[in-house]
Amino acid sequence: MARKFDVVVLGAGAAGMMCAIRAGGRGRSVLVLDHAKAPGEKIRISGGGRCNFTNIHATAKNYLSGNPHFAKSALARYTPRDFLDLVEAHGIAWHEKTLGQLFCDSSAKDIIRMLLAEMRKVKAELELQAEITSVEKTLDGFRLATSSGPVETKALVVATGGKSIPKMGATGLAYRIAEQFGLKVTETRPALVPLTLDPGLLEKLAPLSGIAVPAEVRHGKTAFREALLFTHRGLSGPSILQISSYWREGDEITLVIEPDMDMAAMLKAARGQNGRQAPQTVLAETLPKRLAQFFVETRGIASHLADLSDKAIHALASSIQSWTIRPAGSEGYRTAEVTSGGIDTSGLDSRTMEARAVPGLYFIGECVDVTGWLGGYNFQWAWASGHVCGEAL
């Protein structure tokens, strides 16, 4: 005999638990199913284990989507302040880092414990290590075949995330369910992910591995100004992760290292003061020594500053502050923080997250074609989409 619930949520991540909390708070009987051994695994590893749980600046402009307006309703109705109120009500100490990013002082596990406590308060049930073998529509809802027996529900909420970090159990279940019920799924890609370089360029940049510098990374009209990290596989750091969501294979990106400085002006001033200095000596006052040496050697400069013309100085400065690179690819879903693309928003109601053509079926969180910038934006989308969905159930 099937167990019956008002709401079944697939996925015990950020969006799924938030939805369960709100639906349970409205008096609905709720069951959350997840195939993992523990809830909130992506929460646990996020922010270096301290969970960058939201960003105080989150608005729809911080998200990529086929419909840039889709996220507006949910984000306006459940704000970063709303989630922060919940965090503070549970006595969780937090701090703000750069660019409006909020983190736990102690551990990301505090956020998981908070969500579980809120679920218990509203009597939402959680079942882990649960496999879903089939989903079918019934006259008054849905019937699921699970590893612990059949379940029937009036409303089914899919919050199983995207494809990123498969070692943590990420699957394409949400997309399969969407396609089963006739919803469109846009192209999915790894996002917020390090970029790789072809073997030739990688070998050339090998001495720079481990170096981090302030940079502005540009792709077309999009630019992010944060740290850049050279790695043994290619390029990483916040600025690269940000631009990776916009980059496509074959595209170039431009690196502007130390964007707040005018390298050409600095080199010319140094030439006027002491022309006998080597260019890398001057550059090493601002750049890591290995990086300064790399740029000078790449330009084939073996002379003093006094021997460099204005043209040669500008060429050297340009190699540092207008450095065009064509990445070979990305590290893929293995290390991607999120998946871009997903359930096409044209098939969903932005106020409730319900599938327009399938009453009672909802999609929330990362599986939807709404992808946030790095820095707490994706968690805010999870909280907001989960909350407004729970309000509608």
Side-chain angles (χ1 to χ4, degrees):
M1 184 136 174
R3 292 178 290 162
K4 294 184 187 324
F5 294 88
D6 294 326
V7 179
V8 169
V9 180
L10 303 184
M17 288 194 279
M18 179 58 83
C19 178
I21 290 163
R22 189 68 203 104
R26 287 166 49 77
R28 308 298 184 255
S29 59
V30 182
L31 172 65
V32 180
L33 298 171
D34 199 300
H35 67 173
K37 291 180 181 178
E41 282 292 86
K42 267 198 172 180
I43 298 173
R44 181 181 62 79
I45 67 165
S46 68
R50 293 201 171 171
C51 189
N52 180 189
F53 57 80
T54 192
N55 192 297
I56 57 174
H57 302 308
T59 65
K61 73 179 178 59
N62 306 112
Y63 296 82
L64 289 77
S65 174
N67 176 3
H69 301 291
F70 182 82
K72 285 182 177 177
S73 176
L75 292 170
R77 286 160 56 209
Y78 192 82
T79 67
R81 182 68 250 182
D82 291 325
F83 189 75
L84 194 53
D85 286 345
L86 184 60
V87 168
E88 291 176 339
H90 281 259
I92 298 171
W94 59 275
H95 59 280
E96 180 182 345
K97 278 196 178 179
T98 56
L99 306 172
Q101 302 169 59
L102 304 190
F103 289 77
C104 297
D105 282 1
S106 178
S107 168
K109 292 177 182 176
D110 291 340
I111 298 294
I112 300 171
R113 282 191 285 267
M114 173 190 82
L115 295 168
L116 291 174
E118 290 290 320
M119 283 174 61
R120 284 192 297 273
K121 192 189 297 183
V122 299
K123 298 182 171 54
E125 295 182 34
L126 173 62
E127 196 169 298
L128 298 168
Q129 295 181 278
E131 298 296 330
I132 311 299
T133 53
S134 72
V135 177
E136 59 184 64
K137 188 83 177 73
T138 62
L139 285 174
D140 57 355
F142 299 85
R143 184 180 177 91
L144 287 73
T146 81
S147 53
S148 57
V151 175
E152 291 181 355
T153 180
K154 295 173 187 171
L156 178 63
V157 181
V158 183
T160 53
K163 299 177 183 176
S164 55
I165 320 184
K167 71 177 182 182
M168 298 195 68
T171 70
L173 178 62
Y175 313 132
R176 293 195 296 273
I177 293 174
E179 287 168 345
Q180 176 187 337
F181 289 100
L183 277 76
K184 285 193 231 167
V185 178
T186 69
E187 178 197 13
T188 55
R189 298 173 53 85
L192 303 183
V193 63
L195 298 177
T196 58
L197 304 174
D198 67 59
L201 183 55
L202 198 57
E203 185 179 355
K204 186 179 170 188
L205 299 186
L208 307 182
S209 182
I211 289 175
V213 287
E216 181 174 280
V217 180
R218 301 172 180 164
H219 175 269
K221 294 180 179 177
T222 304
F224 290 98
R225 189 174 285 206
E226 291 185 72
L228 163 70
L229 173 67
F230 295 92
T231 74
H232 64 287
R233 288 193 185 93
L235 303 172
S236 189
S239 60
I240 293 293
L241 299 186
Q242 295 279 37
I243 214 71
S244 73
S245 297
Y246 296 82
W247 175 83
R248 294 292 181 270
E249 283 77 2
D251 291 355
E252 294 180 335
I253 59 173
T254 301
L255 313 183
V256 183
I257 293 173
E258 290 288 355
D260 293 326
M261 298 196 64
D262 184 335
M263 290 287 177
M266 183 184 76
L267 288 164
K268 285 181 188 177
R271 182 182 61 184
Q273 291 163 2
N274 180 4
R276 293 180 61 79
Q277 292 181 91
Q280 66 237 47
T281 303
V282 177
L283 290 175
E285 292 174 8
T286 302
L287 303 176
K289 189 176 178 181
R290 275 185 289 155
L291 192 56
Q293 186 176 352
F294 168 82
F295 286 119
V296 171
E297 289 178 354
T298 300
R299 297 297 308 169
I301 297 170
S303 51
H304 298 304
L305 277 172
D307 300 322
L308 296 183
S309 65
D310 281 3
K311 184 178 178 182
I313 283 178
H314 279 286
L316 174 58
S318 182
S319 72
I320 301 167
Q321 297 196 296
S322 188
W323 184 7
T324 300
I325 285 180
R326 181 175 278 112
S330 79
E331 290 190 9
Y333 291 116
R334 182 180 64 82
T335 57
E337 296 204 11
V338 292
T339 303
S340 75
I343 315 300
D344 192 325
T345 58
S346 65
L348 303 177
D349 185 326
S350 65
R351 296 161 302 170
T352 64
M353 312 304 294
E354 185 174 24
R356 295 182 187 280
V358 189
L361 180 62
Y362 301 77
F363 293 88
I364 58 175
E366 187 186 347
C367 69
V368 177
D369 177 26
V370 175
T371 306
W373 290 359
L374 184 73
Y377 296 100
N378 287 292
F379 274 128
Q380 186 56 37
W381 169 245
W383 313 135
S385 62
H387 180 86
V388 299
C389 179
E391 281 271 291
L393 295 168

